[in-house]
Amino acid sequence: MPSPVLERRTAGALAWHTDLELLERHGILVAFSERTGGTSVGPWSSLNLAAHVGDDPTSVDANRLRLLSALGLEETAERLTCAEQVHGARVTRVTPERAGAGASARGRRPIPGTDAMITALPDTPLMMCFADCVPVVLVAVRPVRTVAVAHAGWRGALAGLPDSAARALAAAAGCPTSSLLAYVGPHICRECYEVGDELASQFAAAFGNIVAAQGRVDLGAVVSEGLRAAGVPTERQAGGGTCTTHPAGRFFSYRAEGVTGRHGALVVVL
Ligand SMILES: [Zn+2]
Protein backbone atom coordinates (compact mmCIF):
# COMPACT_ATOMS: atom_id res chain seq x y z
CA MET A 1 0.00 0.00 0.00
CA PRO A 2 1.53 3.33 -1.02
CA SER A 3 1.22 6.39 1.22
CA PRO A 4 -2.37 7.37 1.91
CA VAL A 5 -3.65 10.51 0.22
CA LEU A 6 -6.75 12.61 0.81
CA GLU A 7 -8.34 14.26 -2.19
CA ARG A 8 -11.37 16.49 -2.48
CA ARG A 9 -14.47 15.24 -4.28
CA THR A 10 -17.77 16.98 -4.94
CA ALA A 11 -21.35 16.08 -5.89
CA GLY A 12 -23.42 19.18 -6.51
CA ALA A 13 -22.78 21.49 -3.55
CA LEU A 14 -21.52 18.66 -1.33
CA ALA A 15 -17.79 18.23 -0.83
CA TRP A 16 -15.70 15.69 1.04
CA HIS A 17 -12.12 14.47 1.30
CA THR A 18 -11.41 10.81 0.61
CA ASP A 19 -8.83 8.21 -0.47
CA LEU A 20 -10.02 6.69 -3.75
CA GLU A 21 -7.25 4.11 -3.90
CA LEU A 22 -8.13 2.75 -0.46
CA LEU A 23 -11.70 2.29 -1.66
CA GLU A 24 -10.72 0.63 -4.93
CA ARG A 25 -8.08 -1.69 -3.53
CA HIS A 26 -9.49 -2.52 -0.11
CA GLY A 27 -13.19 -1.64 -0.10
CA ILE A 28 -12.81 0.83 2.73
CA LEU A 29 -14.34 4.30 2.39
CA VAL A 30 -13.01 7.29 4.34
CA ALA A 31 -14.74 10.67 4.14
CA PHE A 32 -14.33 14.04 5.83
CA SER A 33 -17.29 16.24 4.92
CA GLU A 34 -17.42 20.01 4.35
CA ARG A 35 -20.39 22.18 5.44
CA THR A 36 -22.05 23.04 2.12
CA GLY A 37 -24.85 21.26 0.27
CA GLY A 38 -27.16 20.57 3.22
CA THR A 39 -30.67 21.56 4.30
CA SER A 40 -30.02 23.28 7.64
CA VAL A 41 -30.44 27.04 8.01
CA GLY A 42 -29.18 29.72 10.38
CA PRO A 43 -25.98 28.96 12.33
CA TRP A 44 -26.23 25.30 11.23
CA SER A 45 -26.15 26.14 7.52
CA SER A 46 -26.00 23.87 5.88
CA LEU A 47 -24.71 20.25 6.06
CA ASN A 48 -24.88 19.95 9.85
CA LEU A 49 -24.52 16.29 10.85
CA ALA A 50 -24.83 16.61 14.64
CA ALA A 51 -28.01 15.99 16.62
CA HIS A 52 -26.89 17.73 19.83
CA VAL A 53 -26.25 21.33 18.71
CA GLY A 54 -29.79 22.74 18.59
CA ASP A 55 -30.56 22.13 14.92
CA ASP A 56 -33.88 20.68 13.70
CA PRO A 57 -33.53 16.85 13.88
CA THR A 58 -35.40 16.51 10.58
CA SER A 59 -32.74 18.63 8.89
CA VAL A 60 -29.95 16.63 10.55
CA ASP A 61 -31.39 13.36 9.26
CA ALA A 62 -31.87 14.83 5.79
CA ASN A 63 -28.26 16.05 5.79
CA ARG A 64 -26.92 12.67 6.87
CA LEU A 65 -28.89 10.98 4.11
CA ARG A 66 -27.57 13.47 1.53
CA LEU A 67 -24.00 12.74 2.54
CA LEU A 68 -24.50 8.98 2.62
CA SER A 69 -26.17 9.10 -0.81
CA ALA A 70 -23.33 11.15 -2.27
CA LEU A 71 -20.93 8.51 -0.95
CA GLY A 72 -23.02 5.66 -2.35
CA LEU A 73 -23.91 4.52 1.16
CA GLU A 74 -27.67 5.14 1.31
CA GLU A 75 -28.26 1.39 1.83
CA THR A 76 -26.31 1.56 5.08
CA ALA A 77 -28.21 4.54 6.57
CA GLU A 78 -29.85 2.50 9.33
CA ARG A 79 -26.46 1.14 10.40
CA LEU A 80 -24.80 4.55 10.66
CA THR A 81 -23.22 4.54 14.11
CA CYS A 82 -22.59 7.71 16.11
CA ALA A 83 -21.16 8.49 19.54
CA GLU A 84 -21.91 10.90 22.32
CA GLN A 85 -18.50 12.61 22.24
CA VAL A 86 -17.33 13.88 25.62
CA HIS A 87 -13.67 14.90 25.11
CA GLY A 88 -12.60 11.77 26.94
CA ALA A 89 -10.16 9.01 26.07
CA ARG A 90 -12.45 5.97 25.89
CA VAL A 91 -12.26 3.71 22.84
CA THR A 92 -15.36 1.60 22.12
CA ARG A 93 -15.66 -1.52 19.97
CA VAL A 94 -18.81 -1.35 17.83
CA THR A 95 -20.41 -4.79 18.14
CA PRO A 96 -23.53 -5.90 16.23
CA GLU A 97 -25.74 -4.73 19.13
CA ARG A 98 -24.25 -1.23 18.92
CA ALA A 99 -24.41 -0.89 15.13
CA GLY A 100 -26.89 1.82 14.18
CA ALA A 101 -26.76 3.62 17.56
CA GLY A 102 -27.62 7.27 16.94
CA ALA A 103 -28.27 6.62 13.22
CA SER A 104 -31.24 9.00 13.32
CA ALA A 105 -31.31 12.28 15.22
CA ARG A 106 -34.81 11.22 16.33
CA GLY A 107 -34.01 7.59 17.11
CA ARG A 108 -32.14 5.68 19.79
CA ARG A 109 -29.25 7.48 21.40
CA PRO A 110 -25.68 7.32 20.16
CA ILE A 111 -23.07 5.23 21.96
CA PRO A 112 -22.64 7.07 25.28
CA GLY A 113 -19.44 8.71 26.44
CA THR A 114 -16.86 7.69 23.89
CA ASP A 115 -14.44 9.57 21.62
CA ALA A 116 -13.23 6.67 19.50
CA MET A 117 -15.05 3.79 17.83
CA ILE A 118 -13.64 0.66 16.20
CA THR A 119 -15.32 -1.96 14.05
CA ALA A 120 -14.73 -4.74 11.57
CA LEU A 121 -18.45 -5.02 10.80
CA PRO A 122 -19.17 -4.50 7.10
CA ASP A 123 -21.67 -1.88 5.90
CA THR A 124 -21.56 -0.14 9.28
CA PRO A 125 -20.40 3.46 8.83
CA LEU A 126 -18.83 4.99 11.93
CA MET A 127 -19.26 8.75 12.13
CA MET A 128 -18.06 11.42 14.53
CA CYS A 129 -18.83 15.14 14.43
CA PHE A 130 -16.43 18.09 14.51
CA ALA A 131 -16.08 21.85 14.58
CA ASP A 132 -12.32 22.57 14.96
CA CYS A 133 -11.24 19.42 16.88
CA VAL A 134 -9.04 16.94 15.03
CA PRO A 135 -10.80 14.04 13.26
CA VAL A 136 -8.69 10.91 12.97
CA VAL A 137 -9.57 7.87 10.86
CA LEU A 138 -7.43 4.75 11.24
CA VAL A 139 -7.49 1.76 8.93
CA ALA A 140 -6.15 -1.80 9.07
CA VAL A 141 -6.37 -3.54 5.70
CA ARG A 142 -5.18 -6.98 6.89
CA PRO A 143 -5.44 -9.60 8.22
CA VAL A 144 -8.95 -8.42 9.09
CA ARG A 145 -10.20 -5.17 7.56
CA THR A 146 -10.90 -3.04 10.62
CA VAL A 147 -11.45 0.71 10.98
CA ALA A 148 -11.59 3.39 13.65
CA VAL A 149 -12.61 7.02 13.99
CA ALA A 150 -11.50 9.28 16.83
CA HIS A 151 -12.31 12.78 18.04
CA ALA A 152 -9.27 14.62 19.37
CA GLY A 153 -9.64 18.06 20.85
CA TRP A 154 -6.97 19.38 23.16
CA ARG A 155 -8.09 17.13 26.00
CA GLY A 156 -8.05 14.02 23.84
CA ALA A 157 -4.73 14.97 22.26
CA LEU A 158 -3.13 15.49 25.67
CA ALA A 159 -4.70 12.27 26.97
CA GLY A 160 -3.21 10.30 24.06
CA LEU A 161 -6.54 9.30 22.52
CA PRO A 162 -5.22 8.91 18.94
CA ASP A 163 -2.39 6.68 20.20
CA SER A 164 -4.82 4.57 22.28
CA ALA A 165 -7.13 4.23 19.30
CA ALA A 166 -4.25 3.11 17.06
CA ARG A 167 -3.14 0.47 19.57
CA ALA A 168 -6.70 -0.76 20.09
CA LEU A 169 -7.31 -0.95 16.34
CA ALA A 170 -4.11 -2.91 15.73
CA ALA A 171 -5.05 -5.33 18.51
CA ALA A 172 -8.55 -5.75 17.09
CA ALA A 173 -7.28 -6.33 13.54
CA GLY A 174 -4.38 -8.56 14.55
CA CYS A 175 -1.66 -6.43 12.96
CA PRO A 176 1.18 -4.21 14.19
CA THR A 177 0.52 -0.47 14.52
CA SER A 178 3.25 0.05 11.92
CA SER A 179 0.95 -1.35 9.22
CA LEU A 180 -2.01 0.93 9.98
CA LEU A 181 -3.01 3.83 7.75
CA ALA A 182 -3.98 7.12 9.38
CA TYR A 183 -6.01 10.06 8.04
CA VAL A 184 -5.92 13.32 9.98
CA GLY A 185 -8.84 15.40 8.76
CA PRO A 186 -9.55 19.14 8.62
CA HIS A 187 -9.07 20.93 11.96
CA ILE A 188 -8.21 24.31 13.41
CA CYS A 189 -4.71 25.37 12.33
CA ARG A 190 -1.87 26.57 14.50
CA GLU A 191 -2.38 30.21 13.50
CA CYS A 192 -6.02 30.10 14.57
CA TYR A 193 -5.51 28.12 17.77
CA GLU A 194 -4.28 30.42 20.50
CA VAL A 195 -4.45 28.96 24.01
CA GLY A 196 -3.87 30.22 27.54
CA ASP A 197 -0.52 30.02 29.33
CA GLU A 198 -1.47 27.01 31.45
CA LEU A 199 -2.60 24.91 28.50
CA ALA A 200 0.37 26.04 26.42
CA SER A 201 2.73 24.85 29.14
CA GLN A 202 0.95 21.49 29.35
CA PHE A 203 1.50 20.98 25.63
CA ALA A 204 5.08 22.20 25.91
CA ALA A 205 5.73 19.67 28.69
CA ALA A 206 4.21 16.82 26.68
CA PHE A 207 5.26 17.73 23.15
CA GLY A 208 7.95 20.44 23.50
CA ASN A 209 8.82 21.57 20.03
CA ILE A 210 5.28 21.30 18.67
CA VAL A 211 4.04 24.33 20.59
CA ALA A 212 4.79 27.46 18.59
CA ALA A 213 5.46 30.93 19.89
CA GLN A 214 2.75 33.11 21.44
CA GLY A 215 1.00 30.07 22.88
CA ARG A 216 -0.33 28.75 19.60
CA VAL A 217 -0.74 24.98 19.42
CA ASP A 218 -0.65 22.81 16.32
CA LEU A 219 -3.17 20.14 17.32
CA GLY A 220 -2.68 18.27 14.06
CA ALA A 221 1.03 17.96 14.74
CA VAL A 222 0.30 16.78 18.27
CA VAL A 223 -1.99 14.06 16.90
CA SER A 224 0.51 13.06 14.22
CA GLU A 225 3.29 12.80 16.79
CA GLY A 226 1.05 10.71 19.06
CA LEU A 227 0.34 8.32 16.20
CA ARG A 228 4.03 8.11 15.34
CA ALA A 229 4.88 7.35 18.97
CA ALA A 230 2.27 4.57 18.88
CA GLY A 231 4.07 3.07 15.88
CA VAL A 232 2.25 4.53 12.87
CA PRO A 233 5.02 5.89 10.63
CA THR A 234 4.64 9.46 9.34
CA GLU A 235 4.64 8.19 5.75
CA ARG A 236 1.53 6.15 6.51
CA GLN A 237 -0.33 9.24 7.72
CA ALA A 238 -2.32 11.55 5.41
CA GLY A 239 -3.17 15.08 6.46
CA GLY A 240 -6.10 17.24 5.39
CA GLY A 241 -4.04 20.40 5.34
CA THR A 242 -7.21 22.51 5.64
CA CYS A 243 -8.16 24.81 8.50
CA THR A 244 -11.74 24.70 9.80
CA THR A 245 -11.65 28.34 10.91
CA HIS A 246 -10.12 30.11 7.93
CA PRO A 247 -11.22 30.85 5.33
CA ALA A 248 -14.76 30.89 6.77
CA GLY A 249 -17.57 29.02 5.04
CA ARG A 250 -16.08 25.64 4.15
CA PHE A 251 -16.29 24.02 7.56
CA PHE A 252 -18.00 24.61 10.89
CA SER A 253 -15.86 26.40 13.48
CA TYR A 254 -16.86 26.38 17.14
CA ARG A 255 -14.10 28.80 18.01
CA ALA A 256 -15.13 31.30 15.34
CA GLU A 257 -18.90 30.91 15.57
CA GLY A 258 -19.96 29.49 18.95
CA VAL A 259 -23.40 28.14 18.08
CA THR A 260 -22.79 26.25 14.85
CA GLY A 261 -23.12 22.88 13.16
CA ARG A 262 -20.71 19.98 12.83
CA HIS A 263 -19.04 18.39 9.83
CA GLY A 264 -18.25 14.71 9.95
CA ALA A 265 -15.55 12.08 9.74
CA LEU A 266 -16.85 8.77 8.45
CA VAL A 267 -15.30 5.40 7.75
CA VAL A 268 -16.87 2.15 6.60
CA VAL A 269 -15.79 -1.36 5.61
CA LEU A 270 -17.73 -2.37 2.50
ZN1 LIG B 1 -6.67 28.62 10.55
Side-chain angles (χ1 to χ4, degrees):
M1 182 81 196
S3 296
V5 177
L6 284 173
E7 58 182 286
R8 187 171 186 265
R9 308 291 287 177
T10 59
L14 263 80
W16 66 95
H17 302 252
T18 191
D19 185 341
L20 291 173
E21 188 172 350
L22 181 72
L23 178 60
E24 284 166 15
R25 288 179 57 161
H26 299 289
I28 295 172
L29 175 61
V30 175
F32 298 99
S33 65
E34 296 191 7
R35 75 180 285 174
T36 55
T39 65
S40 297
V41 296
W44 306 282
S45 175
S46 62
L47 195 76
N48 168 47
L49 300 172
H52 66 283
V53 293
D55 194 4
D56 176 358
T58 306
S59 302
V60 174
D61 283 348
N63 294 339
R64 289 177 175 180
L65 197 55
R66 275 195 191 187
L67 177 63
L68 291 173
S69 299
L71 298 173
L73 298 175
E74 56 269 57
E75 303 280 306
T76 68
E78 289 184 1
R79 295 176 61 81
L80 178 70
T81 307
C82 301
E84 178 205 15
Q85 303 162 210
V86 292
H87 291 277
R90 195 152 70 106
V91 181
T92 299
R93 186 83 179 263
V94 176
T95 53
E97 309 77 63
R98 286 170 167 153
S104 165
R106 293 166 296 182
R108 70 181 164 118
R109 66 182 294 215
I111 296 175
T114 194
D115 287 272
M117 296 184 284
I118 292 178
T119 201
L121 294 172
D123 302 320
T124 306
L126 307 181
M127 185 177 78
M128 285 190 159
C129 294
F130 299 83
D132 294 335
C133 290
V134 186
V136 185
V137 167
L138 299 163
V139 171
V141 297
R142 64 179 65 85
V144 180
R145 292 183 304 153
T146 312
V147 296
V149 61
H151 163 249
W154 68 263
R155 288 187 190 86
L158 270 181
L161 174 67
D163 339 358
S164 311
R167 291 192 180 95
L169 174 62
C175 69
T177 52
S178 58
S179 69
L180 299 180
L181 299 170
Y183 300 85
V184 179
H187 55 273
I188 191 166
C189 79
R190 180 202 300 253
E191 295 310 308
C192 293
Y193 194 50
E194 191 170 2
V195 301
D197 292 344
E198 191 183 331
L199 188 54
S201 53
Q202 282 187 58
F203 274 101
F207 297 97
N209 57 352
I210 289 173
V211 178
Q214 288 92 43
R216 293 178 197 273
V217 172
D218 187 338
L219 275 183
V222 170
V223 166
S224 178
E225 172 58 21
L227 291 171
R228 195 200 58 74
V232 184
T234 310
E235 61 270 21
R236 295 182 74 84
Q237 301 180 22
T242 310
C243 178
T244 46
T245 300
H246 88 275
R250 278 182 71 186
F251 295 94
F252 295 104
S253 174
Y254 178 77
R255 181 162 272 225
E257 301 166 78
V259 175
T260 190
R262 300 288 186 273
H263 42 265
L266 181 149
V267 63
V268 59
V269 177
L270 296 170

